[in-house]
Amino acid sequence: MAFDVKDRLNLTPQEYRGREVNRFMEIGNDFNTTAFDKEKVTAMPNMNLSIAGGKLFEFAGGKKLGIMFSSSFKNEFEHLPDVIQSPVVERQGGGTQINFTSQKYNYSVLFSNMANITFALNDKHEFRYDVLYLNNGVDGFNKKVGLNEDWGEDKDYVIFLSNYQNYRLFNNQLQGSHVLSEKLKVDWNCNLINAKYAVPDRREIGFEPYGDQYTFMNETGFRAGRIIVEQNTDEQNAKLSLGYDVNEKFNVVAGGQYNSKKLEYFSHAYDYVMEANLEDVGLFDIDDDSYSDALQGLNQGAGYVSRIRNWTRDDMGYTGNSSIAAGFVDFTFKTTKLTINVGLRIEKSEMNLTSNMTELDGDEEEYTFDDTDLFPAFNAKYSLSDKANLRMAVSRTVVRPSFYEKTPAYLYPEPGELTIMGNPYTKEEPNADMGYLENSYSTNFDIKYEWFPTQGDMLALSIYGKNISEPIERVQLEKEVYMRNLNQDALAAGVELEVKKKINDFTVGMNAAYIYTHIDIPEENGENDSERGLQGAAPYLINADAGYNFKLGLDDKVNTYVGFVYNVFGKRLYKVGVDGIGNAYQLPINKLDFLVKNKINNKLDINLTINNLLDSKFTIEQDIYDSNDRVAKNKVTDEYKTGVTVGIGVSYKF
């Protein structure tokens, strides 16, 4: 998959991907029966292969050249049975407006390559070049059975979706470090990033029951056909910093940083022009193994399908440009026991979005956003003893909306799924339904005590708090999902405990946190609650591990580590419901992994992993209200088992 990406991306002919496309076309090879058929294969064991190497060369005059590379190939088969997808339910009674059960099959491949060249002119001047290339392909097939109230009758439709997705990343980075004097040091770096995302192979076809058999969905509003998506992102980064040691206790670092990003997104949609007369195509049977007889009706000359129609909407494409220019200064003061760092950063950010870009017909809409912000930071560390420290930090940070969250472009969802809507509106010009989406700022404070009683042991206790100005949250409005700011400040506070203990060859560790969040909800926001926690925030988090290291063989040369890793998070608000829609919550996921690491000798390792021993479920529940606007019950809207994965790894060092 990652190796045949060129062929896969060319599955869709160029004439189907351009901006200027005739509204009607003849049926070509790319839209015939075989384009929708599937092939059943036996899943082989997942593989993860890698190779790495490096070499250091030394030359006269103290010059050094280091070269390192790594390359890896990873594939994975995945089957998610009986996936529940009911993202829209009625406010009262819990009647389902969209309700599907899916059988999902995915095959993914990740091909990654990394190389590094480091050249040291001497002990004062060093240059480094890094290059990273990732190629990820995912081939998926999904059978959905269920209903959508928009399609009319209350009966089980059958939808088949074939989907190929490709993501590629190419990152080049050049950096240098130069000691100009005993007191002055200069560091710089710049990098160029290109990321491509493509869906050249999304094919959808639907059938509706007709007695004991099926026929093509036609007059339901569902369009059988092709969806094509292409996204390209170019990003440039540059940073320069100068560090000056005033004396042994006082240091100053100042510099500047610049980031620029350009994104182009285009999607295209095509469907079949079908005849309404069922006698022209007939009725047929559909089962899990084959629907080839039904697909014959899509062939040219079959009498039921006449032409391909391009129904691409103008708002299915957009472009985005953004830039952040920043200047910063940091002061560090050190004594025997105390270290204080004070910093200030100023950022000027701009974002420009242009929608309705699929066809260049003069109705393009442009949105521009810009901000200038100051971000102070204060950090202090006090050594209570050789084994204990006390830390404190205060800072101001920002969360900026992405292109994806701001764009007004229409991002076409899969059949029966919620439409993702961008929110381009501002606080000065809000939308009546969606409100607005702008930067969210936080003032953060935390204090931490850490103790290291013996080597390998640690005890740390933290208390932290945040005041979040107009937090950004995911909101569901009927059949759409979007992001918006809450026009109130929110509070987040908590306590975190981290423990690590080693007793001979037995080790145990735990990280546990309690998080409290609160926000008051204005009545005009259209929610059922007047106060609640923040969307996405879990009330608690627990991560724990325990293991034992066995020493075997002659002179204890064989080391075998056997351990368990456990993590869980508390029930958290997944989507905020407004205007009659109940809140949706993600239920806790208890995940337990088992691992065995065998170090046979200095060159050979053999490992075993079993992930998700408990076969935990991903579950989303939505509140259902009674006539008094009180939560009467909950309904599962999304659910699937993540599965148990067993892996065996062999590593050999040459």
Side-chain angles (χ1 to χ4, degrees):
M1 261 244 251
F3 297 106
D4 68 350
V5 62
K6 182 177 180 180
D7 294 336
R8 294 304 299 265
L9 293 179
N10 288 334
L11 277 172
T12 305
Q14 190 62 41
E15 60 264 28
Y16 296 140
R17 299 158 71 181
R19 294 189 186 183
E20 303 298 333
V21 184
N22 294 327
R23 285 298 171 186
F24 293 95
M25 295 170 288
E26 297 299 322
I27 300 173
N29 291 332
D30 201 48
F31 284 84
N32 65 10
T33 298
T34 57
F36 284 89
D37 215 345
K38 58 182 173 65
E39 179 183 358
K40 180 179 287 188
V41 298
T42 301
M44 301 297 292
N46 298 334
M47 292 190 300
N48 189 350
L49 308 175
S50 64
I51 184 171
K55 181 70 175 178
L56 178 64
F57 302 91
E58 298 188 46
F59 307 95
K63 298 180 179 64
K64 296 180 182 180
L65 177 66
I67 300 175
M68 185 186 71
F69 77 93
S70 67
S71 182
S72 67
F73 173 85
K74 179 181 179 181
N75 71 347
E76 182 178 24
F77 290 89
E78 181 183 52
H79 174 215
L80 300 178
D82 302 324
V83 178
I84 296 175
Q85 293 179 300
S86 302
V88 180
V89 297
E90 295 176 1
R91 176 182 174 85
Q92 296 175 356
T96 302
Q97 296 174 307
I98 296 177
N99 185 22
F100 286 96
T101 299
S102 298
Q103 308 296 323
K104 291 188 175 183
Y105 303 85
N106 292 308
Y107 174 68
S108 63
V109 167
L110 175 62
F111 183 48
S112 60
N113 301 273
M114 182 185 70
N116 162 258
I117 300 175
T118 301
F119 176 69
L121 185 62
N122 48 47
D123 58 355
K124 295 183 178 180
H125 299 279
E126 182 178 285
F127 301 88
R128 174 170 174 161
Y129 173 66
D130 296 284
V131 60
L132 173 67
Y133 177 72
L134 301 176
N135 192 344
N136 181 215
V138 181
D139 217 348
F141 180 80
N142 184 4
K143 177 186 177 182
K144 289 187 173 186
V145 179
L147 61 90
N148 183 337
E149 68 168 10
D150 292 338
W151 295 345
E153 298 183 46
D154 184 1
K155 54 186 177 183
D156 283 340
Y157 297 89
V158 178
I159 311 295
F160 292 100
L161 301 102
S162 300
N163 191 18
Y164 176 74
Q165 302 177 62
N166 177 253
Y167 175 76
R168 288 178 288 173
L169 175 68
F170 188 47
N171 186 357
N172 293 270
Q173 179 171 266
L174 182 64
Q175 55 186 323
S177 179
H178 311 278
V179 179
L180 302 183
S181 69
E182 292 184 1
K183 293 180 176 292
L184 182 62
K185 181 181 179 182
V186 176
D187 293 291
W188 58 271
N189 69 70
C190 56
N191 68 325
L192 302 175
I193 303 172
N194 176 255
K196 294 182 182 294
Y197 172 75
V199 185
D201 196 15
R202 176 172 157 189
R203 305 154 190 255
E204 304 173 351
I205 188 167
F207 305 96
E208 60 179 292
Y210 196 90
D212 295 332
Q213 293 181 293
Y214 288 85
T215 187
F216 288 104
M217 292 175 63
N218 190 2
E219 311 241 342
T220 59
F222 172 82
R223 293 178 168 93
R226 295 286 304 278
I227 305 296
I228 301 159
V229 176
E230 294 180 286
Q231 178 176 297
N232 184 77
T233 305
D234 288 305
E235 184 175 352
Q236 301 85 36
N237 296 282
K239 182 180 180 180
L240 174 67
S241 65
L242 290 83
Y244 185 75
D245 294 326
V246 179
N247 52 46
E248 294 181 354
K249 297 181 179 180
F250 189 52
N251 170 264
V252 180
V253 177
Q257 190 171 1
Y258 182 77
N259 170 272
S260 175
K261 184 182 294 184
K262 179 180 180 180
L263 179 145
E264 294 180 323
Y265 174 95
F266 297 104
S267 55
H268 309 274
Y270 304 87
D271 69 346
Y272 291 92
V273 180
M274 296 185 179
E275 303 296 337
N277 191 351
L278 292 179
E279 285 74 17
D280 289 339
V281 66
L283 302 175
F284 33 77
D285 297 321
I286 292 179
D287 56 41
D288 291 338
D289 296 324
S290 174
Y291 50 93
S292 297
D293 293 341
L295 293 179
Q296 296 302 319
L298 301 181
N299 281 332
Q300 189 173 13
Y304 189 62
V305 178
S306 57
R307 289 177 295 176
I308 301 300
R309 173 172 50 198
N310 174 11
W311 65 274
T312 302
R313 293 168 39 164
D314 192 22
D315 62 353
M316 290 171 67
Y318 74 95
T319 62
N321 291 274
S322 71
S323 65
I324 301 176
F328 59 88
V329 59
D330 289 293
F331 303 92
T332 302
F333 176 76
K334 294 182 178 180
T335 66
T336 305
K337 290 183 171 293
L338 180 65
T339 300
I340 295 177
N341 174 261
V342 179
L344 180 65
R345 181 181 178 92
I346 181 171
E347 292 186 355
K348 179 174 177 55
S349 61
E350 295 183 357
M351 177 187 285
N352 176 278
L353 290 167
T354 304
S355 65
N356 295 349
M357 291 295 292
T358 304
E359 296 182 7
L360 300 178
D361 52 8
D363 70 339
E364 293 78 26
E365 294 184 81
E366 186 173 346
Y367 302 84
T368 302
F369 318 94
D370 60 87
D371 296 281
T372 301
D373 299 294
L374 287 173
F375 299 105
F378 172 84
N379 293 275
K381 172 188 171 183
Y382 184 75
S383 298
L384 300 171
S385 68
D386 294 338
K387 297 181 178 182
N389 298 316
L390 185 64
R391 298 177 181 269
M392 185 180 71
V394 182
S395 63
R396 183 176 188 258
T397 56
V398 62
V399 175
R400 292 188 174 95
S402 65
F403 289 135
Y404 184 77
E405 295 166 342
K406 288 291 291 183
T407 177
Y410 177 72
L411 308 180
Y412 188 76
E414 288 188 0
E417 294 190 351
L418 301 175
T419 300
I420 306 297
M421 299 176 61
N423 186 347
Y425 304 103
T426 62
K427 192 172 185 178
E428 288 73 22
E429 297 182 6
N431 177 269
D433 294 323
M434 301 175 65
Y436 58 90
L437 181 60
E438 293 188 345
N439 295 347
S440 173
Y441 300 92
S442 299
T443 301
N444 316 293
F445 170 82
D446 69 84
I447 186 168
K448 181 178 183 179
Y449 171 78
E450 52 189 16
W451 179 44
F452 307 94
T454 59
Q455 185 176 3
D457 295 350
M458 185 188 73
L459 173 66
L461 180 65
S462 303
I463 300 174
Y464 55 90
K466 287 187 178 184
N467 183 75
I468 307 172
S469 175
E470 300 187 314
I472 297 173
E473 295 192 320
R474 183 191 295 116
V475 177
Q476 179 175 338
L477 175 66
E478 296 184 0
K479 298 176 184 178
E480 296 82 30
V481 175
Y482 62 94
M483 307 296 286
R484 75 170 183 191
N485 294 91
L486 277 171
N487 52 346
Q488 294 283 328
D489 287 356
L491 172 67
V495 59
E496 180 178 6
L497 176 65
E498 185 175 2
V499 178
K500 291 182 180 180
K501 181 64 179 176
K502 183 177 181 181
I503 305 174
N504 296 325
D505 292 320
F506 177 75
T507 59
V508 62
M510 184 191 70
N511 176 275
Y514 167 76
I515 305 122
Y516 169 81
T517 63
H518 179 270
I519 190 167
D520 294 318
I521 308 300
E523 185 176 348
E524 61 269 20
N525 278 32
E527 297 188 37
N528 193 55
D529 300 319
S530 60
E531 60 180 8
R532 56 168 173 79
L534 286 174
Q535 182 266 319
Y540 63 86
L541 300 168
I542 299 175
N543 299 288
D545 63 88
Y548 191 86
N549 189 53
F550 296 90
K551 296 181 180 179
L552 308 171
L554 185 64
D555 297 328
D556 294 337
K557 289 185 176 180
V558 178
N559 289 319
T560 299
Y561 175 82
V562 179
F564 290 89
V565 179
Y566 170 79
N567 56 70
V568 65
F569 59 83
K571 179 180 176 181
R572 58 189 177 190
L573 181 58
Y574 186 73
K575 289 181 297 190
V576 178
V578 298
D579 294 346
I581 304 298
N583 290 340
Y585 295 87
Q586 182 179 0
L587 301 189
I589 296 178
N590 290 275
K591 189 172 183 293
L592 180 64
D593 301 332
F594 173 71
L595 57 126
V596 178
K597 295 182 179 180
N598 293 285
K599 188 174 183 61
I600 308 302
N601 52 47
N602 292 332
K603 293 185 176 183
L604 179 63
D605 292 350
I606 301 177
N607 304 321
L608 168 69
T609 59
I610 305 177
N611 294 323
N612 194 25
L613 280 167
L614 303 177
D615 196 12
S616 303
K617 289 183 179 181
F618 173 90
T619 303
I620 304 295
E621 284 187 349
Q622 190 168 343
D623 288 342
I624 305 299
Y625 301 109
D626 60 20
S627 58
N628 296 317
D629 283 342
R630 293 177 299 191
V631 177
K633 59 181 180 179
N634 307 103
K635 180 176 178 60
V636 174
T637 61
D638 298 88
E639 186 173 76
Y640 61 86
K641 283 191 173 183
T642 53
V644 180
T645 304
V646 179
I648 298 176
V650 178
S651 174
Y652 187 83
K653 298 178 182 179
F654 295 93

